[in-house]
Amino acid sequence: MISDLSRFSPSAAPALDDDQLLHVSLGPQHPSTHGVFRMNVALDGETVVSLKPVFGYLHRNHEKIAENATYLSSMPYTDRLDYICPLSNNWAYAQAVEKLAGIEVPERAEYMRVILAELTRLINHTAFAGFILGDMGAWGSALMYAFRERELILDLFEDLTGARMMANFMRFGGCRNDLPAGWAGKVSALVDGYGPFLDEMEDLLIGNEILLSRTRDVGALTKEVLINGGITGPMLRAAGVNYDIRKVEPYGIYQRFDFRIPLGETGDCYDRIMIRFLEMRESIKILRQALDQLPDGPFVHPKAKIRNFKPPVGEAYARIEGPKGELGFHLISDGSANPYRYRVRPPSFINLTLLEDMCLGLDLADVVVILGSIDIVLGEVDR
Amino acid sequence: MSLLAMSTAESSLWSPEWLPRLPQRLVEMLLRNCHAPDWLVTLAGYAVAAGTVVAVFLTAFALLSLIERKTLARIQNRLGPNRAGWFGILQPVADGIKMLTKEDIVPAKAEWFLHLMAPILIVVPSMLALGVIPYGREWVPVSLDLGLLFFFAVGTLTEVAVFMAGWASGSKFPMLGAMRAISQMVSYELPLIISALGVIMVTGSLSLPAIVEHQGTYHLGFIPAWNVFTPWGLTATLVFFIASIAEANRCPFDLPEGESEIVAGHMTEYSGFKYALFFMGEYLGLFAISGLFITLFLGGWQAPLPGLTFVPSWLWFFAKLVAVIFTHLWIRGTFPRVRMDQLMRFAWLCMIPMALLTIPAAGIWVFTGGGLKGWLVIMPLLLIPWLILTTIHNRRLAPQTRTYTFADS
Amino acid sequence: MNLFGKWRGHSASRPGSGQNARATIGAPPRWSMPGLGLFKGLVVTARNMMQSYYRKDRMTTVQYPEERVTISPNFRNFPFLCYDGDDPVAGLRCTACSICEKECPPQCIYIVLDRDENGKSLKRPKLFDIDISVCMNCGICAEVCPFDSIYMDGQYEMSTTDRFGGLLLGLDRLAKSADYHLKLRPLEASEVAARRKAEEAKKLAAQAAKEAKAKTDKEAKAKAAAETQTAATGKGETA
C-alpha cells in the first residue's frame, strides 16, 4: 500500500543501477492492455521498480473535431469515446448542452435515459467481469459467458436505437425516437433473467482460490491518495469512499429511485470486482423501478432544434456517474453553431494516473491484474 | 529381451489384444521367412514398435489439438473449428500446412544452434518417455526393469530444452519465460517423483508393467485394486495430477507461456515448424505424463470390473487416457493462471509435505495389510496434516471476512 | 438450485432500513475447504458445456453465411435514397437541398445540383455520392431530411474488392423504391406514406379550393360586369 508521495521528488534516486534492471515494454500490441496502451516497465527480477505508461495511440482529435462541427454532429462521436458504454457518453454530452442552453427534458425522456444508462452500466460491468478473468489467463470462458449476456442487451439497443453500440440516441431535450412497441416488455424479461446469470458468474468467481490469491491485497491505495488523485467510480468506492454522483449531485430523476451504493473496505482488485457485481444488482433494482414507473408523454422537448442550434454564450459543465467513473463534458459557447471549446473529462484517463503507485513493488503478473481492475477503455483515455 | 519372449507367447495372432502388435509381428515373420539374421529381426521389430508408438501418438497429437479447441469452445458456449472438413477433422492438417509454410525467422542476436536444437530436444525425450509405458497386456514398446526411473530421467530433459529455448532466443520475453519455466518445472518435479515413491514401495519394483500387474486384483469382487482407491494412493493421485499439470505447463500453471503477459514465453521467437515442434513436444509430454499417471494410479490397462476383460486392454488404457486428458482440458477452461510466487509456495509448502506423507502412509498400508483397517489407520495420518496446512493457507488467503457495506445516504 | 447458496449470504437487512445495511457477499467463511471454490467453478463450466448441446441460449453461434441472424427492422447501416413509383430518376424525392451534406458529421455526402441550360435549379441531384469508408452510420442525414428522401438501409453486406470506386456509392446504387422502404421498415414507411398522402391530399384540396374560388370569383366578376353592362344599356335606353 502506497501512502508516501516523497518518491515523486526529483532527488529521489532509483534503488538499483539502470542496467541491472530488465526493461520490458508491455504493449501497445498486447492481449491484455485493453486497447493500444503501452507500459514501459522496469523490472528487478519479477518486481516492478518503475512503470511509465505511454498512450496516445488511439488519439483521434475528438475535441478539435467538435470545435469545427455542430453540436449535434458531436453526438455520434461521443459514442466512440468509451465504446463499451456508449449511451452514457451520449447522456453526459446531452446534459452539458441542455445545461448550456437551458433546455428542459420531458419526463418520459428522463425515464428512458435512466433505463438506457443502467442497461449500459450492466453491459460495462459484465464485460469487465469477462475481461478481468481473461487477463488472468482463464482462457476466455468467463469472457464468453459475459459477452453472451451482453449481446442480449445489445440486441435491445439495436431494436431501439438502430445500432448495437454506436447508438447516437440522446438529443438535446430528450431522445431520438420513442420506444418501439414491446420494448419495455423485453427489457423487463431480460432484467428478470439477469439475476441467475450474475449468480452463475459469482459461482465461477467468488470462492475461486486462484482468483482470490491473485486479487487480494493487490493494488490497494489509501483513501487520501485516491481522492487527491481525482479517482472516481468503482475504484473509489471500493476503497470505502462514499461518492457516487447519482447520490451526491443527482442528475436526471435519480432522486426518485431507491438504490444503495456499495462500498468496499480495502480497495484492492478483489474489492473492485465485487463492488461492480454489487452495482450490477443495484442497477437491476433501478431498472425494475424505472420500468414500473415509465410514464407516457413526449420523448423529446417539442421545441428542440436539430438544425441551426445556436446556444447562448456561456459555459457549462455536466457530469454523470458513468460506469467507469465521473464522465464530464465542459462546453464553452460563443453563440455560434460550433462550440468554442469542448472538453471531455475522461474517467479512464484520470484513473490511470495512479497506475504506477499501485504497481510498485508487485510482480509483473500483478500489473496486468491491476490494469484490468481499473477498467480502462483507450477510446476514452486518448479521445 | 522380454520383447522376443512376448512374441513367442501362446496368444493367437489375430486376437484383439494383439492388434497393436500386428505390424511388428508381421515384419518379424516376413524377415524370418527371408532368413534374415537374428539381430536384424530384433532391430526391425524394435523399429516397427517405435514407429507404431510414434505414429499413434502423433495422430493423437493432431486429434488432440482439434479436440482441445472444440472442448474449450463448448465450455465457452461456442462451436470450435468446424469449417475444415466435417466436424473440423481436417483442421490439424490445415494447421500443419500453415506451420510448414511459414517463414522461419531466427533473431539476429540468437544462438542459432541452440535455437535449432531446443525444439528437437523437447520432442525427442517425450517420445522416449512414451516408449516405456505399458499400453496393453501384450504391448509395452520397451519393457525396462528401471522403467519408472528412465521415465523421470528422460522427462527432465525437456526442462533443459525449455531453458535453452529461452536463453538462445536472445530477447527479454523468452528469457523471462524460460526462467519462470525452469523454476516452475524444478519445483514440481519433487512432488511428482515423491508421490510415485509410495507406488514403488508397495509394488516393490520400478518396472512399469509390473506396477500395472500389481493392480490387477479385485477386492470384494468388484472394487479394482488400483492405487487410487487406497488412502495414500488417493493423496498421491491428487498430488501427482496437480504436479503433472504444472510439468506440462498447462493452465492454471501455464505461466511460462503466459499469453496475457509475456506473449508466448520461451516460444516467442519461434515461428513455423519449430513452433509446431514445441507444441508437439508439449502435447507428447502431456500424453507421456498422463500415461504414467494412469499406469501408476489408475491401474494402467486393467479393466475396472472383472467382467469387462473381453474389451482389449489397450482400449481401456486409451479410454482412461481420454478421461484424464479431458480433465486437463476442463481445468484449463475454468481456472485463471496462478502467479509465480503463489505457484512456488503451493509446491513447496503444500504439495511436498503431502507427497512426503504418502511414503509412511504406504508403508503402514502394507504393514496393516490394506482393507478397512488400513483406511481407518491411515486417514488420520493424512487428514490431520492436511487440515493444518489448509488452516495456515486459509489464514493467508482469507485473513478476515470481507464486508461490503451499503451507504444509505 | 444452488448447492452453495449459503456462501453467497445476501443477508442484508431490508432495503432502506437505515445506515449501512451489510452484505457479506463474496467472502468465504473463516475456514473453508480449499478447492471447494475451484470445484464450484468446474461445476459451472461443466454445466455450460453439457447445456451447450441442447439449450439454445447456451449455444448462440450463428453459422454465417449459411445461417443469418434476423436483424431488427430498426437497424441502420448505410443511407439510401427513396423514389416513388417505378422511375428512379423522375420519382426521386430528393431535391438536392444539401441539408444532409451539411449536417453529416464526417462529411461523407457529395451532392451536385442538377441545373438546366439557363442555370435554374431542377430540384434534383445530378450527382449524389456517399463514401462508405467515411460514413459512420449515425443516421443524422435521415433525421434532418425535410423531403422524406434519405433513409437508413439495413443492408450490411456491402464489401467489395474495388477499394476506391466500389466504396463510393452513386445515385444508381443509392436509389431504392418506396416499396423497398415499406418492406424494410413497414411502420415507418407506412407512416411516411400516410403523411405524404395526407399532405398531397391537402395540397390537392387546397389547389381545388383555390381553383374553385378563382372560378367563382371569375363568375362573380363576369356576373358583375354583365350587370353593370345591362344597367348601363338600361340607363342609355331610358335616356
Side-chain angles (χ1 to χ4, degrees):
Chain A
M1 298 235 281
I2 310 293
S3 50
D4 171 31
L5 300 177
S6 61
R7 287 178 303 102
F8 291 115
S9 66
S11 56
L16 283 173
D17 290 334
D18 212 34
D19 55 356
Q20 282 185 327
L21 301 172
L22 181 68
H23 292 274
V24 170
S25 160
L26 283 175
Q29 293 139 324
H30 198 273
S32 305
T33 49
H34 295 267
V36 276
F37 180 63
R38 180 173 174 199
M39 292 180 276
N40 288 333
V41 184
L43 296 170
D44 171 23
E46 281 263 346
T47 325
V48 172
V49 169
S50 92
L51 187 150
K52 298 280 174 279
V54 179
F55 40 81
Y57 292 95
L58 196 54
H59 182 68
R60 297 162 292 177
N61 292 313
H62 174 63
E63 296 178 357
K64 186 65 187 171
I65 289 177
E67 283 179 18
N68 295 328
T70 60
Y71 284 88
L72 181 62
S73 300
S74 293
M75 185 60 88
Y77 287 112
T78 58
D79 280 326
R80 280 120 173 120
L81 272 179
D82 178 356
Y83 39 80
I84 306 281
C85 41
L87 280 160
S88 312
N89 309 338
N90 280 352
W91 190 2
Y93 178 55
Q95 227 181 4
V97 174
E98 283 155 13
K99 223 168 160 178
L100 186 64
I103 308 174
E104 283 200 4
V105 181
E107 215 180 317
R108 183 175 170 88
E110 290 278 23
Y111 274 92
M112 282 165 67
R113 284 179 169 186
V114 167
I115 293 173
L116 289 170
E118 293 307 314
L119 281 174
T120 313
R121 198 179 307 275
L122 278 180
I123 63 174
N124 184 54
H125 290 340
T126 311
F128 164 81
F131 284 137
I132 188 118
L133 273 179
D135 289 347
M136 281 198 265
W139 289 101
S141 298
L143 186 68
M144 293 296 155
Y145 301 159
F147 271 72
R148 185 192 69 210
E149 296 301 318
R150 194 180 129 97
E151 283 297 319
L152 299 174
I153 301 185
L154 291 181
D155 285 341
L156 285 176
F157 285 167
E158 188 181 357
D159 258 342
L160 173 63
T161 69
R164 283 165 70 243
M165 279 165 70
M166 305 303 156
N168 182 23
F169 190 64
M170 310 289 179
R171 293 285 176 265
F172 313 130
C175 300
R176 181 185 176 188
N177 52 258
D178 207 352
L179 305 179
W183 193 83
K186 283 192 223 166
V187 175
S188 197
L190 179 119
V191 163
D192 288 335
Y194 223 78
F197 163 66
L198 286 180
D199 289 344
E200 189 187 52
M201 287 296 271
E202 283 173 9
D203 268 342
L204 193 54
L205 296 182
I206 284 182
N208 192 333
E209 279 82 6
I210 301 179
L211 182 89
L212 287 176
S213 48
R214 288 289 301 259
T215 53
R216 289 221 174 190
D217 299 322
V218 165
L221 290 173
T222 59
K223 291 184 194 178
E224 291 73 35
V225 172
L226 287 174
I227 296 176
N228 283 336
I231 308 294
T232 49
M235 256 179 87
L236 187 64
R237 292 193 283 280
V241 179
N242 180 12
Y243 189 77
D244 186 322
I245 299 173
R246 295 175 290 175
K247 294 280 196 190
V248 163
E249 197 184 303
Y251 52 96
I253 41 165
Y254 270 109
Q255 315 93 296
R256 300 191 199 179
F257 299 115
D258 174 29
F259 64 101
R260 300 172 298 177
I261 308 297
L263 297 174
E265 278 181 356
T266 51
D268 58 15
C269 295
Y270 186 71
D271 274 347
R272 290 175 199 154
I273 301 176
M274 288 304 136
I275 288 292
R276 287 184 168 97
F277 270 94
L278 286 170
E279 278 187 9
M280 276 201 270
R281 292 195 189 262
E282 297 298 318
S283 286
I284 292 175
K285 262 202 278 187
I286 300 178
L287 275 169
R288 284 216 182 93
Q289 293 169 50
L291 286 167
D292 285 336
Q293 300 170 19
L294 185 65
D296 291 324
F299 57 88
V300 71
H301 194 274
K303 295 217 182 58
K305 284 177 83 169
I306 300 183
R307 298 193 56 223
N308 299 324
F309 175 68
K310 291 194 175 70
V313 175
E315 66 179 294
Y317 177 72
R319 55 188 188 150
I320 62 161
E321 181 67 31
K324 299 195 159 61
E326 173 185 328
L327 173 63
F329 280 81
H330 182 211
L331 291 168
I332 303 181
S333 158
D334 57 356
S336 68
N338 315 343
Y340 177 75
R341 173 77 174 111
Y342 168 108
R343 154 91 183 140
V344 181
R345 183 215 183 267
S348 304
F349 177 55
I350 297 186
N351 290 354
L352 261 189
T353 51
L354 289 183
L355 182 63
E356 188 176 9
D357 301 274
M358 286 191 275
C359 293
L360 284 179
L362 299 176
D363 285 354
L364 185 61
D366 292 327
V367 170
V368 176
V369 174
I370 293 173
L371 186 66
S373 75
I374 303 179
D375 194 15
I376 60 167
V377 168
L378 261 296
E380 203 172 50
V381 171
D382 291 340
R383 279 155 284 141
Chain B
M1 298 278 241
S2 42
L3 207 68
L4 275 181
M6 278 195 196
S7 69
T8 54
E10 299 292 326
S11 332
S12 149
L13 182 64
W14 310 109
S15 83
E17 283 286 347
W18 270 96
L19 198 62
R21 279 241 180 251
L22 202 57
Q24 182 187 357
R25 289 205 62 188
L26 283 177
V27 165
E28 282 176 357
M29 268 171 48
L30 193 66
L31 283 176
R32 254 189 233 110
N33 280 346
C34 303
H35 300 292
D38 266 344
W39 60 266
L40 189 58
V41 176
T42 326
L43 195 62
Y46 270 130
V48 175
T52 319
V53 169
V54 168
V56 165
F57 278 99
L58 285 186
T59 319
F61 155 66
L63 276 177
L64 180 63
S65 69
L66 173 67
I67 299 290
E68 171 169 28
R69 287 167 73 172
K70 299 228 26 121
T71 312
L72 278 180
R74 282 278 169 182
I75 290 178
Q76 295 167 5
N77 291 159
R78 57 186 174 91
L79 300 165
N82 64 351
R83 292 279 153 179
W86 180 76
F87 194 66
I89 204 80
L90 293 178
Q91 185 71 34
V93 176
D95 284 339
I97 295 175
K98 176 193 82 168
M99 291 290 187
L100 282 172
T101 54
K102 274 198 193 256
E103 179 189 352
D104 188 27
I105 303 174
V106 178
K109 282 205 288 190
E111 285 269 347
W112 71 269
F113 184 65
L114 292 179
H115 190 86
L116 176 65
M117 295 312 293
I120 301 175
L121 253 189
I122 280 197
V123 172
V124 170
S126 309
M127 286 189 182
L128 284 176
L130 281 171
V132 287
I133 300 175
Y135 299 110
R137 189 169 287 121
E138 315 283 356
W139 187 29
V140 49
V142 180
S143 173
L144 293 179
D145 281 339
L146 293 174
L148 194 56
L149 188 61
F150 176 80
F151 188 99
F152 283 130
V154 139
T156 47
L157 269 179
T158 48
E159 300 168 19
V160 175
V162 162
F163 192 65
M164 253 170 72
W167 187 83
S169 294
S171 124
K172 283 177 207 164
F173 279 153
M175 194 65 212
L176 208 56
M179 290 198 286
R180 285 177 171 183
I182 274 285
S183 42
Q184 175 185 310
M185 289 168 120
V186 163
S187 316
Y188 279 91
E189 278 290 334
L190 279 169
L192 200 72
I193 299 179
I194 297 175
S195 52
L197 283 179
V199 177
I200 301 172
M201 276 172 55
V202 168
T203 316
S205 154
L206 278 171
S207 154
L208 289 172
I211 293 177
V212 175
E213 277 176 15
H214 182 82
Q215 300 175 62
T217 50
Y218 297 91
H219 303 303
L220 298 180
F222 67 97
I223 305 178
W226 297 349
N227 286 331
V228 69
F229 293 127
T230 60
W232 59 268
L234 188 61
T235 320
T237 307
L238 289 171
V239 171
F240 193 98
F241 188 70
I242 298 175
S244 71
I245 303 180
E247 283 295 309
N249 281 345
R250 308 264 317 164
C251 209
F253 300 110
D254 63 348
L255 213 54
E257 34 177 89
E259 197 184 277
S260 334
E261 297 147 30
I262 49 172
V263 192
H266 55 277
M267 299 192 280
T268 314
E269 299 289 349
Y270 283 88
S271 54
F273 196 61
K274 294 184 193 162
Y275 189 69
L277 280 178
F278 265 108
F279 248 10
M280 200 190 300
E282 205 180 284
Y283 280 20
L284 288 178
L286 183 68
F287 283 134
I289 206 137
S290 304
L292 187 70
F293 173 68
I294 296 170
T295 309
L296 290 177
F297 298 105
L298 288 182
W301 42 258
Q302 305 280 6
L305 291 173
L308 293 175
T309 40
F310 63 90
V311 181
S313 54
W314 46 269
L315 211 57
W316 280 119
F317 182 88
F318 280 102
K320 292 178 199 175
L321 188 66
V322 164
V324 171
I325 300 277
F326 178 72
T327 315
H328 273 286
L329 296 180
W330 187 13
I331 290 179
R332 181 184 186 185
T334 313
F335 297 139
R337 205 171 286 133
V338 187
R339 209 172 61 207
M340 200 64 210
D341 57 325
Q342 291 160 359
L343 203 146
M344 309 287 274
R345 188 171 283 126
F346 184 56
W348 289 93
L349 297 181
C350 185
M351 301 265 284
I352 291 185
M354 293 311 297
L356 284 172
L357 279 172
T358 59
I359 302 177
I364 298 176
W365 175 263
V366 171
F367 185 68
T368 56
L372 201 58
K373 195 162 81 160
W375 273 93
L376 286 173
V377 171
I378 294 177
M379 282 314 274
L381 172 67
L382 290 173
L383 268 182
I384 293 173
W386 189 59
L387 288 174
I388 298 175
L389 273 177
T390 54
T391 317
I392 303 174
H393 152 87
N394 267 295
R395 207 177 308 129
R396 258 194 52 80
L397 209 52
Q400 82 280 17
T401 325
R402 286 286 171 94
T403 324
Y404 298 97
T405 60
F406 287 100
D408 218 35
S409 51
Chain C
M1 76 124 234
N2 205 333
L3 298 170
F4 313 104
K6 60 181 168 64
W7 281 39
R8 208 184 323 283
H10 284 295
S11 52
S13 29
R14 302 179 311 282
S17 64
Q19 309 295 337
N20 294 341
R22 288 174 181 269
T24 52
I25 181 180
R30 184 164 280 278
W31 184 88
S32 68
M33 177 115 90
L36 200 55
L38 299 174
F39 181 67
K40 262 204 287 182
L42 282 175
V43 166
V44 168
T45 44
R47 202 167 51 203
N48 264 293
M49 181 180 171
M50 292 304 141
Q51 286 173 346
S52 78
Y53 282 102
Y54 58 87
R55 265 176 72 161
K56 217 53 210 310
D57 62 338
R58 298 285 179 188
M59 175 53 74
T60 49
T61 310
V62 172
Q63 300 209 55
Y64 185 84
E66 290 92 17
E67 309 167 0
R68 273 154 219 257
V69 184
T70 41
I71 52 172
S72 151
N74 286 336
F75 172 63
R76 57 177 150 88
N77 188 48
F78 192 72
F80 74 93
L81 290 171
C82 204
Y83 63 84
D84 295 309
D86 289 324
D87 189 351
V89 178
L92 197 67
R93 294 182 191 168
C94 177
T95 60
C97 65
S98 293
I99 288 180
C100 59
E101 188 182 18
K102 288 197 205 77
E103 294 290 326
C104 173
Q107 307 271 291
C108 69
I109 305 181
Y110 311 97
I111 303 178
V112 172
L113 183 61
D114 202 3
R115 295 179 190 273
D116 63 6
E117 324 62 62
N118 301 332
K120 184 161 148 348
S121 144
L122 286 171
K123 290 223 168 142
R124 63 162 189 246
K126 185 158 84 173
L127 217 66
F128 197 114
D129 288 337
I130 308 185
D131 194 339
I132 298 185
S133 56
V134 180
C135 172
M136 58 146 101
N137 321 329
C138 63
I140 287 185
C141 54
E143 239 178 287
V144 297
C145 176
F147 297 104
D148 309 317
S149 134
I150 188 168
Y151 288 104
M152 295 303 282
D153 200 352
Q155 236 214 353
Y156 51 89
E157 288 157 329
M158 300 177 89
S159 46
T160 167
T161 48
D162 178 8
R163 202 199 237 176
F164 299 107
L167 292 179
L168 194 68
L169 271 71
L171 266 174
D172 53 338
R173 287 174 68 182
L174 284 175
K176 298 200 173 151
S177 74
D179 289 332
Y180 176 81
H181 187 203
L182 191 66
K183 263 203 297 271
L184 180 71
R185 286 200 191 100
L187 270 171
E188 184 190 58
S190 47
E191 230 173 54
V192 168
R195 184 169 40 82
R196 285 176 75 85
K197 208 153 139 201
E199 274 174 15
E200 192 70 35
K202 211 161 78 172
K203 214 163 57 173
L204 278 173
Q207 183 87 349
K210 202 162 112 186
E211 279 176 6
K213 192 162 175 292
K215 197 159 150 210
T216 42
D217 277 346
K218 202 162 127 191
E219 279 174 7
K221 226 200 261 177
K223 207 159 142 202
E227 275 174 6
T228 36
Q229 186 76 6
T230 43
T233 44
K235 237 198 239 145
E237 272 180 10
T238 47

